[in-house]
Amino acid sequence: MKIIVANKSGFCFGVKRAVDESEKLVAENKVVTYGKLIHNDQEVERLKKNGIIPKDEITEIENQRVIIRTHGVPKRDHDLLLSRGNEIFDYTCPFVKKLQKYAEEYFQKGFTVLILGKADHPEIIGVKGWTEDQAKVIEGVEDLNKIAFSEEEKVCLLAQTTEKQKNFQEVSDLLLKIKKDAIIINTICKATQERQESVVDLASRTDVMVIIGGKDSSNTKKLFQISKNVNNNTYLIENAMDLDKKWFEAAAIAGVSAGASTPDWIIEEVIKEMEEMKETMGMAEAAESKKTPKKGSVVQGKVVEVEKEKAFIDVGGKTEGVLEISEASFRNIEDLTEVISVGDEFSVKIIDLENENGEMRVSKRRAEEKEAIDKLLKAKEDGEVISVEVYEAVKGGILVDVGIRGFIPASLVDVGYIEDLNQFVGKNIEVMVEEVDLENRKYILSRKAVIEKELEKVWDTLEEGKSIKGIVKKLVDFGAFIDLGGIEGLLHISEMGWGKVEKSSDVLTEGQEVEVFLLSVNKETNKIALSLKKMTPDPWTIVNNKYKVGDTVPGKVVRESDFGAFVELEPGLDGLVHISQISWQRVEKVNDALKIGDEIQVKILEIDPENKKINLSIKETLPKPERPKREENEAAAPKQKAEKRTSPRPPREDKKVQEAETETIMDDKGPTGINIGELFGDKLKDFMK
Ligand code: SF4
């Protein structure tokens, strides 16, 4: 028989420190401890023989050197011990001390202090004492539900150092629903958690488990319960005397673990006794032999025959093992022949050496369970990502195959809400292990954690002022959402181009790849502002490179006002055609001559990049009409004189325009044969008629 000791077992940091320091103290002079130094009678007895005397009554301790044990004491006891002339050596575990400090601090600040733990445990009695005994002790969500908090009440939640992590999580979740602003501080000691995880790992790999610890030690009792849930062949002992060799008869591997208050010398005695039992029983040979499978052991098997409801497995013994359909998998199987074939090899657990029919019973499901738990625990510890198959969508989440039934709550499937969970069924997905609850056989996984991990990497690549490629996810009235690799940024419509963009669909289409500029990145608010126009230079910064005064260039009328029309030369670059520059003729109203959308030729009169202004002219693109010749003037004189008699004198500008009103520019083509309709749009042409 092989004996394996759990890698986290026996004295924890706090207990070891208290015992070591007490032994140093007693070497100088006699000391007493207020209460038993640790929860292990044999160790307390040994220390007593060395001069470390436990005293249960505080009134018995006066003018002495007194040790305060790892659990700590209430403030009043501390003060009383001092007032009685004692010299105090405080070996309260630093983790417990921290818990006391939090309790005192929040109590002083006017909070209601809640402590999750056992009210009669010395540690909790001590902590309560730092809140003038006002802290409320609860054991779980049921107790919390019974408390009626007032609206203005401030609440702080703490935990006994040996409390179960899962219980603390449940209580925290509920408290946050009741009191959104509650202060929650996880004061659970890591040593306890490590010992529990280590025992689970060992119990799943061994045929029999021995847990050593004092009968009063709550952490030892918890270790025992946890181990028993994984391996039914678990025994709780205080010392080597409690061992029974029958436990090891069929065992190939035995595991040993011990509570945080169990000294090494007791663990060593137990192991020595087990070694001796093993020799007398010839168990060593049995452990090495694979020819005679033992009940509870996991062995390699080979399928020799398969029927619909059972299969026969060669496990190297004299008889073949029977694998019943219910023992093949944790999932429902209708027909064994559909999932296993003759010649397949896999691990099986021997669950019965001989049933009522004289057959050996084996279980593939239980062997896989051990392996699966090991895998999950390792993945959890290493923060590893594992691949699992989704086999069913149920109310509230999805079920996955991890060798055992794993569950992903809907809230842990993705970072956002997923309406139809059926889309995952039959697919392999990557997950991280959230919780391994061996006591209740609950294995919670999270796909969201994997996505969040990936998103972290994406956030790291996002830097303001840089560009990044993305895919247009959704177009909306005010812009577009761009997928930057799992994180979405907003490209506002005003950032889509240097010119005015009417609709985001004029620029982008959904699914299109686009390179965008990162205007701002705020991880805390989860907001990213993007720009497309910043991917090209502002046209006003390069206007002088592209345009010169005197150039005639095409443009489009984009806006009109009383004093003129704005003409877009290119997106983001609009110039003004003053009303006086529209035509050689007088123009009363801009829209008599131009309409929005007209594509026209304009001459650049002035460029002012600093003030983002360009002055343009339409009339300067046309030859200035000639003055009428002298004879024509004379011929027209009687008519003009007649008009002069009936009309008021036109203003100077009007006069110029009138000079331009000649027959020569009134046909479709201008005086030089230029097509006015093509150049200025029909409206200007109509106006000139
Ligand atoms: S279990 Fe943790 S809190 Fe308790 S004595 Fe040990 S180290 Fe300290």
Side-chain angles (χ1 to χ4, degrees):
M1 179 176 71
K2 191 173 171 186
I3 300 170
I4 305 173
V5 181
N7 59 3
K8 296 281 181 193
S9 153
F11 272 7
C12 63
F13 152 78
V15 171
K16 187 168 184 330
R17 171 178 169 268
V19 172
D20 288 352
E21 293 301 317
S22 304
E23 288 192 305
K24 275 188 216 162
L25 274 182
V26 80
E28 295 165 9
N29 209 341
K30 202 180 95 180
V31 285
V32 299
T33 62
Y34 177 32
K36 286 179 190 168
L37 186 63
I38 57 173
H39 277 156
N40 188 292
D41 287 346
Q42 286 171 288
E43 179 67 354
V44 169
E45 215 35 58
R46 185 188 72 81
L47 294 170
K48 201 169 159 185
K49 280 183 194 149
N50 290 342
I52 303 167
I53 316 294
K55 299 263 184 202
D56 289 334
E57 296 302 324
I58 203 162
T59 48
E60 293 173 27
I61 310 170
E62 193 161 19
N63 298 324
Q64 302 209 45
R65 284 153 40 100
V66 58
I67 290 168
I68 292 180
R69 58 185 176 173
T70 53
H71 297 130
V73 292
K75 189 171 184 309
R76 60 175 177 278
D77 287 358
H78 191 275
D79 295 345
L80 187 58
L81 283 170
L82 275 181
S83 70
R84 293 176 70 81
N86 295 299
E87 187 182 358
I88 292 179
F89 297 91
D90 189 352
Y91 297 140
T92 307
C93 174
F95 296 112
V96 178
K97 202 100 188 154
K98 218 170 173 180
L99 170 59
Q100 292 174 345
K101 282 230 152 58
Y102 282 130
E104 186 183 26
E105 179 189 333
Y106 281 94
F107 173 69
Q108 299 289 356
K109 285 181 184 168
F111 279 70
T112 295
V113 176
L114 293 181
I115 309 170
L116 182 65
K118 293 261 184 249
D120 58 353
H121 192 280
E123 178 184 312
I124 298 304
I125 294 170
V127 176
K128 262 188 89 173
W130 292 83
T131 65
E132 295 172 17
D133 279 339
Q134 296 301 305
K136 291 178 180 162
V137 182
I138 55 170
E139 289 193 13
V141 287
E142 277 186 23
D143 289 346
L144 179 60
N145 268 323
K146 288 180 199 157
I147 303 175
F149 296 106
S150 66
E151 214 164 285
E152 63 282 0
E153 198 168 351
K154 295 184 290 181
V155 182
C156 169
L157 174 69
L158 306 168
Q160 187 173 337
T161 53
T162 50
E163 187 52 59
K164 283 187 201 156
Q165 190 68 44
K166 184 175 159 271
N167 197 25
F168 183 70
Q169 192 58 52
E170 285 171 4
V171 171
S172 303
D173 291 347
L174 176 62
L175 180 61
L176 283 177
K177 280 184 195 152
I178 302 170
K179 282 258 157 206
K180 276 197 184 68
D181 54 351
I183 303 282
I184 294 173
I185 305 171
N186 188 341
T187 46
I188 298 171
C189 162
K190 220 173 159 225
T192 309
Q193 207 178 328
E194 283 173 349
R195 272 155 187 71
Q196 291 175 356
E197 286 177 1
S198 171
V199 87
V200 165
D201 172 45
L202 191 57
S204 67
R205 293 187 282 125
T206 52
D207 302 310
V208 59
M209 280 295 293
V210 175
I211 310 293
I212 317 163
K215 59 181 183 311
D216 298 330
S217 164
S218 74
N219 79 77
T220 305
K221 281 188 235 164
K222 276 179 193 153
L223 271 190
F224 169 69
Q225 283 162 7
I226 290 168
S227 177
K228 186 125 181 114
N229 284 339
V230 182
N231 186 332
N232 199 36
N233 295 328
T234 297
Y235 302 94
L236 175 62
I237 61 167
E238 281 202 303
N239 53 49
M241 310 270 285
D242 297 336
L243 286 169
D244 185 339
K245 56 181 168 182
K246 276 197 227 122
W247 300 341
F248 309 108
E249 274 172 5
I253 308 172
V256 175
S257 183
S261 48
T262 310
D264 284 352
W265 64 268
I266 294 183
I267 301 173
E268 279 158 20
E269 269 186 14
V270 169
I271 292 170
K272 196 162 164 247
E273 182 65 22
M274 283 169 68
E275 299 268 3
E276 280 168 16
M277 283 179 174
K278 160 180 106 175
E279 274 174 30
T280 56
M281 291 165 61
M283 287 190 289
E285 291 83 357
E288 297 306 315
S289 172
K290 295 208 171 184
K291 286 177 189 158
T292 316
K294 301 291 172 197
K295 184 179 172 183
S297 60
V298 175
V299 294
Q300 190 69 4
K302 188 171 181 179
V303 181
V304 291
E305 194 183 334
V306 195
E307 296 171 6
K308 189 180 176 191
E309 299 211 324
K310 63 181 175 182
F312 295 91
I313 315 293
D314 177 6
V315 291
K318 286 183 205 142
T319 57
E320 286 152 1
V322 177
L323 174 68
E324 291 146 10
I325 193 164
S326 60
E327 291 296 334
S329 171
F330 71 94
R331 286 163 72 172
N332 281 340
I333 295 175
E334 304 271 307
D335 184 346
L336 264 185
T337 60
E338 286 175 3
V339 288
I340 56 174
S341 312
V342 171
D344 283 356
E345 290 190 31
F346 43 75
S347 298
V348 289
K349 185 173 183 176
I350 313 294
I351 51 174
D352 210 342
L353 285 173
E354 199 174 322
N355 65 10
E356 62 272 19
N357 302 323
E359 295 168 326
M360 179 198 295
R361 290 175 66 228
V362 297
S363 171
K364 181 170 180 280
R365 171 174 69 84
R366 298 188 209 192
E368 284 172 347
E369 184 173 329
K370 274 186 157 195
E371 285 168 15
I373 289 172
D374 280 353
K375 187 177 158 190
L376 288 179
L377 285 168
K378 187 170 180 309
K380 183 169 185 277
E381 195 176 322
D382 299 348
E384 199 187 315
V385 173
I386 54 171
S387 179
V388 294
E389 187 202 336
V390 180
Y391 67 91
E392 198 178 337
V394 292
K395 198 178 165 207
I398 50 180
L399 299 177
V400 297
D401 187 344
V402 269
I404 44 183
R405 194 182 93 138
F407 180 60
I408 307 181
S411 60
L412 296 185
V413 173
D414 209 321
V415 283
Y417 172 70
I418 300 237
E419 194 156 336
D420 180 17
L421 293 172
N422 280 304
Q423 62 180 290
F424 294 102
V425 177
K427 289 188 182 154
N428 278 313
I429 57 170
E430 297 208 309
V431 294
M432 287 178 83
V433 182
E434 192 77 13
E435 187 186 343
V436 180
D437 180 356
L438 295 153
E439 220 176 324
N440 300 303
R441 293 179 183 254
K442 266 168 63 183
Y443 311 103
I444 309 293
L445 306 156
S446 171
R447 178 172 172 268
K448 181 180 169 183
V450 178
I451 297 170
E452 281 176 343
K453 214 173 165 187
E454 289 304 312
L455 293 184
E456 273 302 309
K457 289 185 203 157
V458 178
W459 276 109
D460 290 344
T461 63
L462 301 177
E463 209 179 308
E464 278 178 20
K466 295 216 163 160
S467 66
I468 186 168
K469 282 189 179 158
I471 303 287
V472 180
K473 187 99 183 274
K474 195 170 181 206
L475 295 179
V476 287
D477 288 349
F478 53 88
F481 289 100
I482 313 292
D483 180 356
L484 305 173
I487 297 173
E488 279 180 22
L490 173 66
L491 173 60
H492 194 268
I493 197 162
S494 62
E495 289 294 332
M496 283 190 177
W498 287 107
K500 183 171 167 59
V501 175
E502 295 292 339
K503 294 198 303 285
S504 47
S505 57
D506 291 345
V507 180
L508 298 169
T509 49
E510 287 181 357
Q512 177 189 343
E513 193 188 66
V514 64
E515 189 162 2
V516 284
F517 183 87
L518 289 155
L519 282 177
S520 67
V521 177
N522 190 331
K523 198 174 166 191
E524 270 171 31
T525 57
N526 223 13
K527 284 188 177 156
I528 300 167
L530 306 169
S531 173
L532 190 56
K533 71 182 186 189
K534 287 267 168 67
M535 294 302 295
T536 54
D538 180 346
W540 285 105
T541 61
I542 52 167
V543 63
N544 279 329
N545 302 346
K546 291 180 77 176
Y547 301 94
K548 290 201 175 45
V549 171
D551 284 355
T552 296
V553 291
K556 187 169 151 190
V557 179
V558 287
R559 263 173 301 139
E560 289 175 351
S561 72
D562 291 347
F563 55 84
F566 289 91
V567 174
E568 182 189 73
L569 303 185
E570 63 181 77
L573 206 64
D574 296 351
L576 172 69
V577 180
H578 189 267
I579 193 165
S580 63
Q581 291 295 333
I582 291 176
S583 169
W584 289 109
Q585 280 187 290
R586 177 180 170 78
V587 175
E588 291 289 342
K589 284 196 285 181
V590 175
N591 67 2
D592 288 343
L594 296 168
K595 67 174 187 289
I596 290 171
D598 280 350
E599 292 186 0
I600 55 170
Q601 294 285 324
V602 285
K603 188 170 184 177
I604 300 173
L605 302 180
E606 190 189 353
I607 301 175
D608 178 3
E610 216 168 283
N611 296 306
K612 296 192 173 177
K613 281 183 182 167
I614 299 180
N615 286 327
L616 305 167
S617 171
I618 297 170
K619 75 179 187 187
E620 290 288 343
T621 63
L622 299 169
K624 190 173 176 182
E626 288 174 18
R627 280 172 177 271
K629 288 184 181 151
R630 195 173 184 82
E631 305 85 73
E632 285 166 349
N633 282 348
E634 280 165 8
K639 190 180 164 196
Q640 283 172 359
K641 275 177 190 164
E643 281 173 358
K644 203 175 178 181
R645 278 196 299 273
T646 55
S647 313
R649 184 187 174 88
R652 197 174 173 74
E653 193 64 28
D654 289 357
K655 193 177 171 192
K656 270 190 195 170
V657 175
Q658 281 178 351
E659 283 171 354
E661 282 180 347
T662 65
E663 294 296 317
T664 51
I665 61 168
M666 288 301 111
D667 55 25
D668 266 1
K669 295 198 172 178
T672 52
I674 295 166
N675 188 317
I676 294 163
E678 275 173 20
L679 276 178
F680 307 126
D682 291 341
K683 199 152 187 184
L684 182 57
K685 189 181 87 179
D686 293 345
F687 170 78
M688 293 179 82
K689 276 180 182 165

